[in-house]
Amino acid sequence: MRNIALAFCILLVLLAAGCGGDKGINETGYSDEPLIDREGNKLDSADAERLYESAREFMFDEQPDRALRLYAEVQARFPFSPYAAQAELESITAHYRAQQYEAAVSAADRFIKQRPRNPNIDYVYYLRGLSNYSRNDSGILGGDPDKRDTRFLEQSFTDFKLLIENYPDSVYAKDAQLHMIDIRNRLAEYEINVAEYYLRRRAYVAASRRAEGVIERFQGSDSVPRALEIMEESYARLGLPDLAEDTRAILQTSYPNYILHRDEFYRQRAGEEPAYELPDMGSASAAGGSPAQDDDSD
C-alpha cells in the first residue's frame, strides 16, 4: 500500500513537471518564433520589465505583430508582475494597429471582464468601439459594406455610447461622439437603401415603414428628408392623400433648403394623380443585394 502511494506521488510530480515545462514561450502560441528584441538580442531569460520594454519598442517602430509576441510572453511568464496588466492593455492596441479587429474586440472584452476598475478602462471601451467600427469594412467582397451588414456598426455605436455615459469626462468622449454621429448617418442611409429597394418593387407599406423607422431612430441624420419623401411617395401610392400631404408639409417646413434643391423633382410631380411615376434618384437609390423582406399588405 505504501509503495502504491509513493508511486502515485511520483506520478503527480512528473505530471506537474511536464505541465510546467510547457509554460512560458509555448503557451503564448509563438513557440516556433525566436524570442528577440528589436536589435535581435535573445530574450529567453529576460525579466518582465525587459520583455515589456522590448514590446513597446516594437510598437513605437510600427511592428505590432512583433510586440504582441512579447506582450503575450509577459502575461504568460509573469502574470502577477506589475507589467502584466499593462501588457494586456497594450495588446488591445497592438491588435488594432495590426488590423486584427476581431482579436482586438475579444481582448477588450476579456480586459473589461477581468479588470473593470482599471484606470484606463475608458480607453478599452474606446478601442473596442474603434475596432468594431473598422470591422465594417469592404473586406474581400469589395463594394459598400453598409449595404450588406451593419451589425458591427451597431455594436460600435453601443461601445461609444457606453463610454460617453459611464465616462463623460474621458479624453476619448469627444471623438466617440463624433463616431456616433457618423454611425447614425450610415445606419440611417442603410435603412434608406432598403426603403428605396421596396419603393422600386412597389412594396409601399414596407417602404413607408422603413422610412418611418429612419425618422424614429435616426432623428437629425442626413437621411431624414429622403425618408419623408419616401413616406409621401408611399402614402400617395397607397391612396392616402391626407397623409401624403401632411408628410410633404412637414418636409417643406422642416427642410426648406432640401426642397429648394429638389425643385425639378416637385415640378415633375405637380398636378399628377397619386399614382405618379417613381422619381429617378440615381445612385442614391441603388441598394446592393436583396434585403430581408418586410411584411407588405398593400
Side-chain angles (χ1 to χ4, degrees):
M1 190 70 178
R2 182 178 179 183
N3 291 335
I4 294 176
L6 179 60
F8 181 73
C9 292
I10 293 174
L11 178 60
L12 289 178
V13 171
L14 291 175
L15 287 173
C19 293
D22 290 334
K23 290 184 178 180
I25 298 175
N26 289 339
E27 72 179 24
T28 66
Y30 300 92
S31 57
D32 294 332
E33 298 181 15
L35 192 64
I36 58 175
D37 62 15
R38 193 174 56 175
E39 286 74 33
N41 301 313
K42 292 184 178 181
L43 297 172
D44 293 343
S45 302
D47 59 14
E49 181 179 6
R50 187 181 176 195
L51 287 170
Y52 171 75
E53 292 299 336
S54 297
R56 287 179 62 86
E57 288 177 1
F58 279 125
M59 288 289 284
F60 292 138
D61 200 37
E62 299 298 329
Q63 298 185 64
D65 289 319
R66 304 293 295 273
L68 282 166
R69 165 75 172 92
L70 298 181
Y71 284 139
E73 193 70 23
V74 172
Q75 296 175 69
R77 288 169 53 182
F78 307 98
F80 304 110
S81 73
Y83 298 98
Q86 192 64 21
E88 185 179 357
L89 174 66
E90 293 180 21
S91 292
I92 306 172
T93 306
H95 281 303
Y96 176 76
R97 289 188 181 178
Q99 299 183 4
Q100 300 171 4
Y101 303 124
E102 183 176 357
V105 170
S106 297
D109 288 342
R110 287 194 302 271
F111 193 95
I112 292 170
K113 183 178 180 179
Q114 297 173 3
R115 307 179 190 274
R117 297 187 180 181
N118 186 278
N120 297 303
I121 197 68
D122 60 327
Y123 176 65
V124 178
Y125 278 105
Y126 177 66
L127 272 182
R128 190 170 72 172
L130 289 179
S131 298
N132 276 314
Y133 182 88
S134 299
R135 291 172 81 179
N136 212 76
D137 60 12
S138 58
I140 61 175
L141 297 177
D144 186 351
D146 292 355
K147 293 180 180 179
R148 293 195 307 268
D149 189 356
T150 61
R151 59 194 169 113
F152 294 133
L153 280 180
E154 293 171 357
Q155 182 58 56
S156 177
F157 188 92
T158 300
D159 294 334
F160 289 132
K161 184 178 180 180
L162 287 172
L163 167 61
I164 292 174
E165 289 179 348
N166 295 326
Y167 310 99
D169 297 328
S170 170
V171 295
Y172 309 106
K174 181 62 177 179
D175 191 63
Q177 186 177 29
L178 293 176
H179 274 86
M180 289 177 68
I181 294 172
D182 176 63
I183 292 171
R184 180 196 63 189
N185 288 333
R186 289 172 64 178
L187 292 175
E189 185 177 357
Y190 171 82
E191 292 297 318
I192 288 295
N193 286 332
V194 177
E196 297 273 11
Y197 169 82
Y198 288 129
L199 198 61
R200 292 195 304 273
R201 292 176 63 93
R202 303 178 186 273
Y204 303 119
V205 171
S208 65
R209 286 176 179 171
R210 285 284 185 165
E212 290 170 5
V214 170
I215 295 173
E216 292 173 359
R217 297 176 56 203
F218 306 111
Q219 192 61 242
S221 73
D222 298 336
S223 297
V224 169
R226 179 56 188 151
L228 288 167
E229 280 189 327
I230 293 174
M231 289 171 62
E232 179 193 356
E233 177 91 16
S234 301
Y235 293 149
R237 288 292 193 119
L238 290 168
L240 302 171
D242 291 342
L243 285 177
E245 290 176 8
D246 290 345
T247 304
R248 181 176 181 177
I250 294 172
L251 178 61
Q252 290 175 323
T253 302
S254 302
Y255 301 95
N257 292 331
Y258 180 84
I259 296 300
L260 290 175
H261 292 290
R262 306 290 293 155
D263 283 347
E264 183 62 27
F265 167 70
Y266 285 108
R267 279 197 296 270
Q268 291 176 1
R269 295 197 331 178
E272 293 183 359
E273 295 298 322
Y276 46 73
E277 292 298 321
L278 295 177
D280 181 11
M281 298 302 294
S283 59
S285 63
S290 298
Q293 296 291 325
D294 282 7
D295 292 336
D296 185 16
S297 57
D298 62 318

